[in-house]
């Protein structure tokens, strides 16, 4: 196994090895870095402007950075994973907005730098909020900075002049623009989410169409192959018997030729409904092609399978379909084969096919069980040629 580099070990120690937590910690560290940068700017202002209370700014910087550092450590510990907001986005934004409002009061004549910091805070926090939270944060920011603007004149012991009005107006513009942009981003996110859901639904429908016969609603040949292979492996592990039966509607071509393909389609649907009503929930019926069906009987002995198929045969023979020319009846021929350990699925299906051919040649409307061994010289091509 490849040894991790020192840089990788440091990153794992700082960000965690859990992918989800790494993302949350990375975003929290970005917010912390922005706060540290803002604190540095405020400290520079305090150092350059004697009118600014340097001690108050230092306390502000320590508290502002310390609060976000505590939240970042809490996220890194993993304790927030069970919370509804594991990234603590709302608490972080409330903290930074409050810090920004206080900085606006402390910065004196340099308070014009605060709106840009505020805009950056609101923008980066957008992606973790829903619409209601965006509106709530926006309203809180407006109230916080309204209080800050009101406190500025008293704190600085000076009249409210045009510069104060300009700064207040700039804060209002920044907040309004950020809220509008955030809401626009939320709408885009919602639309993208709806598009993803629609795409997932379309893919699910396509997968269903790829594995289902659209006429009867049964699994199609490809899906049935996969299910039979899965049951074969399960039977091999458990040692329990697995039976495969091929069912073919007798004289189906005559129905199509005499009454039309629409009547033939209704006959296929009625046949599928009758068979599904006779078999167990664990049994799988699939349309194999044309008027031919395959029935998968897992964990079923040959005697039980034959008894079940006899019920199917009698139910099909009793089926009566209404038609303008008079009631139509159909019968079914069935070939049954038990899967043998070591055989392929194709070989078992071929044995069932040969048994079906025998049922057809003996007069139809009957069940024939495949013998234990293969029948030489008799292939599925010959069986299909005898079906009409």
């Amino acid at each position: 196994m490849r040894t991790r580099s020192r840089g990788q070990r440091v990153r794992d120690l700082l960000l965690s090895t859990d992918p989800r937590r790494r993302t949350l910690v990375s975003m929290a560290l970005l917010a912390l870095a922005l706060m540290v940068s803002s604190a540095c700017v405020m400290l520079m202002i305090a150092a350059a402007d004697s009118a600014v209370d340097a001690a108050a700014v230092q306390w502000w910087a320590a508290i502002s950075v310390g609060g976000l550092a505590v939240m970042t450590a809490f996220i890194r510990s993993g304790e927030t994973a069970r919370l509804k907001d594991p990234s603590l986005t709302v608490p972080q934004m409330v903290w930074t907005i409050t810090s920004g409002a206080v900085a606006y009061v402390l910065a004196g004549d340099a308070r014009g730098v605060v709106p840009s910091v505020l805009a950056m805070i609101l923008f980066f926090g957008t992606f973790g909020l829903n619409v209601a939270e965006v509106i709530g944060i926006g309203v809180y920011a407006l109230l916080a900075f309204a209080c800050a603007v009101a406190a500025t004149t008293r704190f600085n012991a000076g009249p409210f002049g045009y510069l104060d009005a300009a700064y207040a107006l700039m804060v209002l513009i920044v907040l309004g623009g950020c809220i509008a942009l955030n809401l626009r981003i939320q709408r885009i996110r919602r639309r993208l989410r709806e598009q993803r859901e629609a795409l997932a639904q379309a893919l699910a429908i396509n997968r269903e169409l790829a594995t289902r016969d659209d006429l009867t609603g049964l699994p199609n040949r490809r899906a049935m192959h996969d299910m039979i292979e899965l049951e074969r492996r399960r039977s091999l592990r458990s040692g329990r018997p697995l039976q495969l039966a091929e069912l073919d509607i007798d004289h189906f071509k005559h129905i199509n030729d005499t009454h039309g393909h629409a009547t033939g389609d209704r006959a296929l649907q009625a046949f599928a409904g009758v068979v599904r009503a006779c078999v167990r929930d664990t049994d799988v019926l699939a349309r194999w092609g044309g008027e031919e069906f395959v029935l998968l009987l897992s964990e079923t002995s040959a005697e039980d399978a034959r008894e079940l198929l006899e019920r199917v045969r009698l139910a099909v023979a009793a089926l009566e379909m209404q038609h303008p020319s008079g009631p139509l009846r159909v019968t079914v021929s069935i070939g049954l084969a038990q899967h043998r350990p070591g055989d392929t699925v194709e070989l078992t299906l071929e044995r069932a096919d040969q048994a079906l051919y025998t049922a057809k040649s003996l007069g139809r409307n009957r069940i024939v069980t495949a013998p234990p061994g293969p029948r030489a010289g008799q292939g599925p091509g010959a069986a299909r040629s005898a079906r009409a």
Side-chain angles (χ1 to χ4, degrees), residues 259 262-264 266-267 270 318-329:
H259 304 288
T263 300
R266 288 196 297 273
L319 174 64
E320 187 176 276
M321 294 172 291
Q322 298 302 317
H323 189 269
S325 63
L328 296 179
R329 292 183 179 275

Side-chain angles (χ1 to χ4, degrees), residues 110-326:
R111 56 186 174 276
V113 302
V114 175
S116 60
V117 176
L118 175 64
M120 186 165 50
I121 291 170
L122 291 176
F123 180 76
F124 275 101
T126 297
F127 300 99
L129 304 178
N130 56 40
V131 174
E133 290 170 339
V134 167
I135 295 174
I137 288 294
V139 171
Y140 175 76
L142 285 171
L143 293 175
F145 274 85
C147 294
V149 170
T152 298
T153 303
R154 178 173 296 184
F155 186 85
N156 292 328
F160 188 84
Y162 77 92
L163 193 58
D164 297 289
Y167 285 158
L169 183 60
M170 180 58 68
V171 169
L172 182 62
I173 292 172
V174 168
L175 286 175
C178 286
I179 293 173
L181 178 60
N182 287 345
L183 292 176
R184 175 62 178 169
I185 291 174
Q186 292 297 325
R187 284 194 294 269
I188 293 173
R189 290 176 64 187
R190 184 175 64 252
R191 186 161 60 247
L192 290 175
R193 185 169 58 251
E194 291 171 352
Q195 290 174 348
R196 286 196 301 270
E197 291 173 355
L199 178 60
Q201 185 177 6
L203 290 174
I205 292 173
N206 286 338
R207 284 194 296 270
E208 182 73 10
L209 292 175
T211 59
R212 291 277 170 182
D213 172 56
D214 57 353
L215 179 63
T216 61
L218 298 175
N220 61 18
R221 186 170 187 144
R222 181 171 63 178
M224 189 60 159
H225 258 301
D226 294 339
M227 285 185 277
I228 293 174
E229 180 60 28
L230 179 64
E231 287 299 325
R232 182 193 69 81
R233 295 175 184 175
R234 188 175 297 161
S235 173
L236 189 62
R237 291 193 301 268
S238 66
R240 294 171 180 166
L242 171 66
Q243 311 288 336
L244 293 177
E246 290 198 9
L247 300 81
D248 192 273
I249 301 176
D250 296 326
H251 303 296
F252 184 75
K253 185 176 183 300
H254 176 74
I255 295 176
N256 275 336
D257 293 343
T258 305
H259 304 288
H261 288 278
T263 300
D265 289 346
R266 288 196 297 273
L268 290 171
Q269 292 169 336
F271 174 82
V274 167
V275 176
R276 279 188 295 189
C278 292
V279 300
R280 304 162 301 184
D281 292 338
T282 55
D283 302 327
V284 182
L285 177 68
R287 187 180 179 192
W288 206 244
E291 71 275 19
E292 188 176 349
F293 296 77
V294 168
L295 181 61
L296 168 64
L297 304 170
S298 57
E299 300 184 6
T300 307
S301 66
E303 294 77 12
D304 291 341
R306 189 168 181 103
E307 181 179 340
L308 182 147
L309 291 172
E310 180 62 19
R311 291 200 304 269
V312 169
R313 187 189 68 80
L314 293 174
V316 171
L319 174 64
E320 187 176 276
M321 294 172 291
Q322 298 302 317
H323 189 269
S325 63

